[in-house]
């Protein structure tokens, strides 16, 4: 009693939508429909809808801690479902529609979700998932105003009360569940918590991170079903920013139309999406005067693409993150002088990084050397869903990434430790070779994998997808590496692919490449 | 075990200085000395010094939860003491050197501090405080490299280890204590907590609040001994921004020299400080090209001053806060289109506001009406130091301010509820009269207080300090109110003051005015 106290205030995600509804009631969430029309709702209206989702879930028997799965693109209905699920204390298990029904059923069986909310265009996949899951005990209901019949979720939500309590639980309660892509090994479930996402949101809102303000209109092309759409469905209402959801369409024409129509100021997605947008703008002579910044991440950015975007007066902000980090790790500040597509910025306060050797021992020097990147912080995984053992060592999580941190603290991801190739007892980092090859104007995408070799143990194999109209000789291609990497790093062989195989998250599927080209 | 987990990460203030030391080691904290020189230290060096302060405190018997008082201006030594005290879990009780020794001794007796760290130029006051406190049991030690003898704190700190554990306590632990000015009634102690200040810092770092970045150099002219210097000694290391501490000197010439020399980009303080700076710049023809923004708060801002600052291409950011809020409540966003000196912006997420009638009942309409302003949030007082009863009602704190919130959510503080004057059974808001009178070019400062009246209960009395060279008639002065307030609000009498009496926090001392002019 002697010391005074400040007020109790649990860091729960319902607060974001309540804040937006009260202080930014008319700021809109806009969804692009497949027919080219848009659906629009203010934060005040969205809040009421989400509260009805909570009421509907309660009437369907969902309790705090229960998992409710969603299978949907970035849409208003998905936003309503997210907040309706999370704010009442249930756990939103997002499913990736690009995975197979078998893969998704496996995940549903792990999470134990008894209810799956799917958008109408994914109803067929949702029912397959349910049928394939243990005993078919997961009920499918269809989101959106068009759904009819006993499985129409809106029919329940429209009649539901709006007074289901929000946020009346511990802030460390789980709110979300996302399985990693599992291109190497079985997928692992990352549990997100209210506190973790709340603090991650406050990180995003910093002036040196996303710097989102109430005057911005933000378009996340990154999906809500993967790593929280980088946290933007939380940060936008928290900042009072408008939110533009592209639905299923991520082609250049659809995105350009949406950006122009809605006055999007910040667009967020993986590099390939912006390649499509730039191609469309170049081909049609379209300009996008409202767009001031593109945030990229999820895959390495090519210098040529960065140059093309910046030539239009649009700033490029590079980032690094992963599912296990909720997901943002580092970001170059908006309007940074560092104009390097490989730079991923510095960590914001609350994210700590260290470099180790391959045994996990911290390197004596942490700057200007390459090392294994470990991370810690309040939004970093400690233990995967359903597992008993910790995913950390001494409080640090091994990202599996290799990185170099320069004198100014700027992080550059140099590769994946699992991709390292051991040749003649020494390590080759395929990431460095890929960066050089992918920067060539003739190359669309490239990958380097290790193939077993009787003499050297492993030797690097280069796989390339060329851009249309290009087909240089192997010699000319490999000559580009001379002087830039050690001679013994240079692959002897080049495999030409019509199309690089991609995993459902959009990354190059190295597991598949290894299975196809490296089996003994 | 079924649900996974994110990492434990306590929101404690040591993390800010550790982050700055690791990621912004060379970014400097610069202190202006009275002889015109500057002291400089990077965040890495400051971190080591603060760790030695913790070691010294431990060797002097200070334990977690103990109060350690400080009596110092904004200086490097004060920064070292702050972090040294707070990071090891002790409570930093800041004392205002503008109060009397008797007032400070009363506060020390309440807090129970057994150690008082004072800067050399405040040694005499510090010893008087100690002598006057209960049994003189509070030991005085002198900060800074020049101090000699047994009371020299540096002599202990320089030999102290740097490995005293930091942050190994619950995040809701107290870290600071600040007594309100007590211009009405006895001072009340506000206890700050690690969690409260951590979340307050993340609020400051938002792009729509202070938007401080690692490229900024911030000069807080607001004192560290009052309401945490608005939280900037936390936000600057957390953002990696440079920090310029003006020490004791807040005159226009000293501030202009420091801003120019250190490339200050954001300066923060009460309006009168900037009046002095503008007068100096006008008189000398000096320009300050680095300065992009001035943040003001603590007192109403005059339109004329705002215009003078903005005419120089320096943006003005208005704010509202109070000691009980840690202290920031609302802020106009940087570069807002709202260019109104009375506007105090919107609350950031985590601060909630509501307007009530005089009984505390929420007004049915919350927009475009005047009401009593209540607030809640994680950095808002729940219970004052040493008190048993809550300072809140239904989880809300009554700020004592009157406010109006417009359609866009922008808050305008219209007065203090305690200053309201009841005349003929109706309320007169002196704040509205003061705003009109203070905006006149002939007026330096004005105050309106209630004087008892046999017929009306109370009538307003206008007290004015004119600017040099001005002396309008009472009639001309009062004529300015006609048509802008109700006729019965207009005072009948004007009192001309050579100098408006100010409380130690720089605000007009209405208690003294009432004692002098309103005693029956």
């Amino acid at each position: 009693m002697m010391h005074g106290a400040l007020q109790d205030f649990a860091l729960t995600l319902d607060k974001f939508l309540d804040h937006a509804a009260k202080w930014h009631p008319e700021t809109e969430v806009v969804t692009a429909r497949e027919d080219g029309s848009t659906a629009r709702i203010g934060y005040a209206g969205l809040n009421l809808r989400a509260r009805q989702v909570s009421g509907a879930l309660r009437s369907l028997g969902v309790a705090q801690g229960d998992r409710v799965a969603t299978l949907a693109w970035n849409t208003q209905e998905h936003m309503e479902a997210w907040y309706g699920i999370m704010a009442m204390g249930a756990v939103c298990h997002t499913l990736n529609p690009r995975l197979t029904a078998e893969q998704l059923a496996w995940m549903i069986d792990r999470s134990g979700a008894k209810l799956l909310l799917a958008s109408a265009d994914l109803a067929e996949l949702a029912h397959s998932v349910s049928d394939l899951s243990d005993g078919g005990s997961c009920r499918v209901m269809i989101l959106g105003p068009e759904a009819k019949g006993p499985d129409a979720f809106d029919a329940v939500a429209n009649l539901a009360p709006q007074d289901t309590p929000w946020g009346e639980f511990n802030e460390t309660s789980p709110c979300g569940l996302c399985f990693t892509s599992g291109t190497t090994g079985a997928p692992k479930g990352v549990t997100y918590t209210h506190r973790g996402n709340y603090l991650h949101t406050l990180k995003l809102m910093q002036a040196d991170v996303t710097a989102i303000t109430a005057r911005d209109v933000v378009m996340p092309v990154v999906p809500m079903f993967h790593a929280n759409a980088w946290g933007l469905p939380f940060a936008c209402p928290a900042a009072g920013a408008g939110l533009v959801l592209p639905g299923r369409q991520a082609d250049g024409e659809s995105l350009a139309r949406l950006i122009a129509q809605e006055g999007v100021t910040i667009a967020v997605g993986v590099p390939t999406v912006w390649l499509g947008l730039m191609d469309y703008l170049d081909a049609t002579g379209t300009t996008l005067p409202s767009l001031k910044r593109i945030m990229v991440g999820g895959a390495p950015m090519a210098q040529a693409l960065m140059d093309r975007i910046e030539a239009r007066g649009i700033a490029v902000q590079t980032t690094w993150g992963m599912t296990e980090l909720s997901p943002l790790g580092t970001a170059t500040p908006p309007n940074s002088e560092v104009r390097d597509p490989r730079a991923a910025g510095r960590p914001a306060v609350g994210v700590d990084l260290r470099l180790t050797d391959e045994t996990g021992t911290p390197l004596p020097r942490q700057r200007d050397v390459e090392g294994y990147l470990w991370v810690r912080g309040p939004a970093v995984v400690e233990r995967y869903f359903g597992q008993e053992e910790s995913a950390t060592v001494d409080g640090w999580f091994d990202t599996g990434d290799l990185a170099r941190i320069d004198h100014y603290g700027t992080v550059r991801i140099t590769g994946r430790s699992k991709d390292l190739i051991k040749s003649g007892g020494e390590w080759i980092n395929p990431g460095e070779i890929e960066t050089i090859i992918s920067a060539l104007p003739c190359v669309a995408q490239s990958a380097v994998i290790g193939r077993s070799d009787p003499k050297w143990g492993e030797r690097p194999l280069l796989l390339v997808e060329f851009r249309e109209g290009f087909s240089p000789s192997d010699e000319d291609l490999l000559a580009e590496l001379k002087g830039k990497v050690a001679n013994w790093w240079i692959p002897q062989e080049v495999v030409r692919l019509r199309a690089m195989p991609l995993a459902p998250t959009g990354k190059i599927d190295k597991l598949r490449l290894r299975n196809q080209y490296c089996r003994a």
Side-chain angles (χ1 to χ4, degrees), chain A residues 230-267:
Chain A
W230 298 4
L232 296 166
F234 301 125
C236 287
L243 190 54
V244 175
L245 303 174
R248 185 170 195 155
Q249 301 105 299
D251 61 285
E253 182 177 356
S254 301
L255 295 181
R257 194 174 51 229
L258 205 51
I259 291 167
Q261 177 186 307
E262 300 300 333
V264 168
T265 60
I266 302 174

Side-chain angles (χ1 to χ4, degrees), chain A residues 295-330:
Chain A
M295 237 178 105
V296 294
M301 175 84 175
Q303 182 73 54
L305 177 56
M306 187 165 182
D307 293 344
R308 285 174 75 189
I309 297 173
E310 295 197 331
R312 292 180 169 272
I314 302 165
V316 172
Q317 185 178 19
T318 51
T319 66
W320 165 76
M322 56 198 310
T323 307
E324 284 87 343
L325 271 61
S326 296
L328 192 76
T330 60

Side-chain angles (χ1 to χ4, degrees), chain A residues 357-372:
Chain A
D357 64 17
E358 59 189 286
T359 71
T361 306
L363 298 178
R365 225 177 100 192
Q366 290 281 313
R367 295 291 181 268
D368 295 319
V369 289
E370 191 181 28
Y372 293 73

Side-chain angles (χ1 to χ4, degrees), chain A residues 451-459:
Chain A
R451 182 152 63 168
S452 60
D453 182 278
K455 180 169 176 193
W456 301 103
E458 278 188 317
R459 284 301 298 158

Side-chain angles (χ1 to χ4, degrees), chain A residues 89-110:
Chain A
V91 180
C92 183
H93 174 192
T94 50
L95 298 176
N96 182 343
R98 298 204 181 92
L99 295 175
T100 64
E102 287 76 11
Q103 289 173 311
L104 295 175
W106 181 91
M107 292 175 184
I108 285 279
D109 289 342
R110 295 297 161 289

Side-chain angles (χ1 to χ4, degrees), chain A residues 451-473:
Chain A
R451 182 152 63 168
S452 60
D453 182 278
K455 180 169 176 193
W456 301 103
E458 278 188 317
R459 284 301 298 158
L461 175 69
L462 173 61
L463 303 106
V464 187
E465 174 192 334
F466 290 105
R467 287 180 67 185
E468 225 175 281
F470 291 91
S471 186
S473 70

